[in-house]
Amino acid sequence: MASSNTTTAYNKDDRQSIVEYASMLIGSTLRESTDAEEIADIKRSKGSFGEAVEYYYFDLKNNSDSAPDFKEAGIELKTTPLKRNKGGALSAKERLVLGMINYMTVVDETFETSHLMEKADDILLISYLWEPDKDPLDYEVEIVELISLSELPKGDLSQIKLDWETVVNKVRNGRAHEISGSDTLYLEACTKAANAQARRKQPYSDIEAKPRAWALKASFMTAMSNRILEGMQSIERKASEAGLDLLGLVKKRFAPYYGMTEQELGERFGYITPGKRKPKNLCALITRRILGVSDDAKIEEFEKAGIVPKTMRIKRNGTPKESVSFPKFDYFELAATPFEESDFATYLDQKYLFVIYREDEEGEYRLSEVVFWQMPEDDLEEAEHCYEEMRSRVNNGHAEDSVKATENRCCHVRPHGRDSNDTLPTPQGDQVVKKCFWLNAQYLKTEIAKLTQK
DNA sequence: GCATGATCATGC
DNA sequence: GCATGATCATGC
């Protein structure tokens, strides 16, 4: 059952799909997220959580550590434990091992083009809270984050480069056997061997050295984890809000602002200076402010549930002013991918917080309510028709021929590029303007009516 | 440089 | 009034 769930739950060739699927683990355990009941067939030892994630959650066969776990997407999965200190703070339980050091070849590398940088460029980090005596299936996942050495803050990266050079220079000087973890600050060369006697050759000395691997020190992992965790804030509940579910809480927080225009809200919160154009992410900013989360933080409850806030302007007749768009599609990918495996199917799994503004008699749009919306399962079939119709048009050389809103109850296809010269190649070799799927305004009208009539 | 959210323009 | 094609502008 786990395998049948997981094969359709994400697309292992698509980065976004992998990350989105992985993010659903945040705040939960493998026992809750998969049908695994015991970890018996997985060795109950160090690494058992990581293996169980691959096996039960991602439905990956156990593979050797040399190949990336998601080859096509270029992502390598790494799981790592956090622990809670006596004071309550979280810290990394272990260093994060990135890959073995080959003394013979590393001496010819530069940091920027090193095997390490290549290997540690796209890591999907899954951090879980380790607790003594707990079954690994019951560890709670705290962090799911795509990390890349080259995209660390500049200060971190320059120290890591110094660390790398310190270690490599020792090898270059024929002193690989003298390397110590204490030589460096963030990145270390930690010993990594099946037994204490194992030794490896080094290029500029006859003395054999202990096998070592590149690793980010536990202290560095602690700092990085906390930085990631702090970037996520939960909505702080007052005592009077303790019993509310998430939607109830969100509604209660928005209610005092009903009747205001988006412009007024933006000005009130200091996101718009009068006369200036409003920021693109105004809806997200206002939502964070109203929910009491700082401007640059992710809303933990929303992240965990995959909820995206979206402004919805409704005209007096109940129709949304605009359709809702999805990211542009690639004609080759569309042609080759059935709906179940498509990005579009993943996007439709999106849950929205529609922040609804309704048009008043003067033509002003005023905040009137907030609702959660996700496409009902029955309508996914209609969306699939739209997708498969567009797919067959592309396959038949008619990529320019969009599926119109009049052809499908739920969605349609429309250009969404910079301009008409912003094109992508099709399997037939011609260039067609970038397009994407859209949710029909009329469809959204009936969906929103269902949600708000009650 | 590009994606994305927002908006415009045209014609049925 | 709406569908459809097109483009703008911010921000990553």
Side-chain angles (χ1 to χ4, degrees):
Chain A
M1 210 170 96
S3 51
S4 64
N5 282 341
T6 47
T7 42
T8 53
Y10 77 103
N11 173 0
K12 66 175 168 31
D13 300 336
D14 178 62
R15 298 167 62 89
Q16 186 177 356
S17 168
I18 295 165
V19 176
E20 276 176 11
Y21 177 65
S23 298
M24 293 194 291
L25 269 173
I26 298 175
S28 57
T29 68
L30 287 178
R31 196 183 300 283
E32 293 161 356
S33 309
T34 72
D35 61 358
E37 284 164 7
E38 53 181 328
I39 208 153
D41 52 337
I42 299 283
K43 61 175 193 291
R44 231 197 129 87
S45 64
K46 242 183 146 177
S48 59
F49 178 83
E51 287 182 20
V53 167
E54 292 192 12
Y55 186 88
Y56 291 112
Y57 192 69
F58 286 104
D59 195 33
L60 297 169
K61 306 252 184 323
N62 282 348
N63 53 8
S64 80
D65 54 5
S66 61
D69 301 299
F70 302 104
K71 275 199 205 68
E72 294 300 317
I75 290 178
E76 180 162 351
L77 187 64
K78 285 203 180 286
T79 55
T80 189
L82 299 167
K83 61 178 176 159
R84 206 168 278 289
N85 301 332
K86 292 207 180 68
L90 281 182
S91 65
K93 183 167 173 283
E94 299 165 5
R95 56 177 63 84
L96 184 73
V97 175
L98 301 173
M100 291 302 296
I101 303 175
N102 183 334
Y103 298 129
M104 305 304 285
T105 56
V106 76
V107 291
D108 299 322
E109 295 176 354
T110 63
F111 175 71
E112 285 75 16
T113 58
S114 62
H115 187 231
L116 171 70
M117 285 299 274
E118 191 184 332
K119 192 164 164 59
D121 210 41
D122 274 304
I123 293 171
L124 182 60
L125 184 73
I126 299 184
S127 306
Y128 56 93
L129 182 60
W130 169 88
E131 292 174 83
D133 306 321
K134 225 181 196 183
D135 188 306
L137 290 180
D138 296 316
Y139 292 154
E140 186 181 277
V141 173
E142 306 297 333
I143 295 173
V144 172
E145 184 97 349
L146 202 54
I147 61 166
S148 146
L149 275 196
S150 58
E151 282 168 26
L152 289 175
K154 278 220 175 68
D156 288 2
L157 189 61
S158 59
Q159 179 61 51
I160 286 170
K161 180 176 177 175
L162 285 176
D163 291 343
W164 185 89
E165 284 168 348
T166 301
V167 172
V168 173
N169 283 335
K170 272 201 168 174
V171 186
R172 286 174 180 150
N173 293 327
R175 293 163 53 217
H177 54 289
E178 291 176 13
I179 294 170
S180 156
S182 61
D183 292 344
T184 54
L185 291 184
Y186 293 175
L187 180 76
E188 67 176 333
C190 67
T191 55
K192 190 106 169 67
N195 58 67
Q197 286 75 45
R199 292 291 184 274
R200 295 228 173 145
K201 284 191 164 60
Q202 56 173 313
Y204 301 115
S205 167
D206 293 334
I207 306 171
E208 296 197 324
K210 286 182 184 170
R212 288 182 184 269
W214 293 116
L216 294 171
K217 295 194 178 200
S219 52
F220 182 82
M221 292 304 294
T222 296
M224 189 170 79
S225 303
N226 284 320
R227 192 167 58 218
I228 293 169
L229 287 168
E230 277 161 21
M232 201 143 70
Q233 255 179 289
S234 60
I235 306 168
E236 231 170 282
R237 285 169 189 258
K238 301 175 191 117
S240 61
E241 298 168 334
L244 293 174
D245 64 7
L246 184 57
L247 181 58
L249 177 65
V250 172
K251 280 180 183 295
K252 184 160 185 283
R253 294 288 178 90
F254 269 84
Y257 303 98
Y258 288 166
M260 293 178 73
T261 65
E262 197 175 33
Q263 180 79 22
E264 286 166 356
L265 281 165
E267 286 176 15
R268 169 147 175 180
F269 294 139
Y271 298 128
I272 304 178
T273 36
K276 263 188 85 177
R277 216 193 136 78
K278 65 184 187 189
K280 270 190 79 149
N281 56 348
L282 184 59
C283 182
L285 286 168
I286 289 172
T287 302
R288 281 196 280 260
R289 179 63 67 93
I290 289 179
L291 296 179
V293 170
S294 50
D295 288 356
D296 50 0
K298 296 173 182 171
I299 302 166
E300 191 167 340
E301 289 84 347
F302 284 18
E303 290 297 312
K304 287 175 177 171
I307 298 167
V308 173
K310 179 146 189 67
T311 296
M312 191 55 70
R313 288 181 192 77
I314 313 279
K315 295 188 285 188
R316 263 170 285 183
N317 63 11
T319 313
K321 205 157 163 268
E322 308 295 340
S323 310
V324 168
S325 69
F326 295 99
K328 59 132 183 54
F329 52 72
D330 176 295
Y331 294 108
F332 284 86
E333 201 177 306
L334 177 64
T337 315
F339 178 72
E340 300 81 50
E341 293 160 31
S342 67
D343 291 348
F344 184 43
T346 310
Y347 300 142
L348 292 177
D349 212 30
Q350 177 79 71
K351 193 190 275 292
Y352 289 100
L353 171 71
F354 284 149
V355 180
I356 298 179
Y357 293 80
R358 290 186 187 272
E359 188 183 18
D360 67 10
E361 292 72 20
E362 283 93 48
E364 289 281 359
Y365 285 88
R366 296 187 178 280
L367 182 63
S368 75
E369 66 244 277
V370 287
V371 294
F372 285 146
W373 181 81
Q374 183 170 345
M375 181 177 267
E377 285 189 23
D378 288 349
D379 292 340
L380 287 176
E381 218 171 298
E382 184 73 5
E384 177 172 1
H385 288 143
C386 178
Y387 178 91
E388 290 296 347
E389 175 60 26
M390 193 62 217
R391 186 178 165 217
S392 85
R393 288 182 193 180
V394 172
N395 275 316
N396 293 322
H398 297 114
E400 70 293 331
D401 192 4
S402 300
V403 175
K404 316 275 186 236
T406 45
E407 296 176 67
N408 188 282
R409 185 168 55 82
C410 299
C411 35
H412 65 279
V413 175
R414 237 160 86 192
H416 198 186
R418 177 175 225 77
D419 55 38
S420 51
N421 298 315
D422 193 14
T423 62
L424 282 174
T426 72
Q428 284 74 27
D430 47 351
Q431 292 282 327
V432 174
V433 65
K434 284 180 187 168
K435 294 182 189 179
C436 68
F437 289 97
W438 299 69
L439 293 174
N440 296 349
Q442 289 302 314
Y443 168 64
L444 289 168
K445 172 181 178 171
T446 62
E447 285 299 305
I448 288 169
K450 278 190 220 164
L451 287 167
T452 55
Q453 267 162 14
K454 294 164 204 165

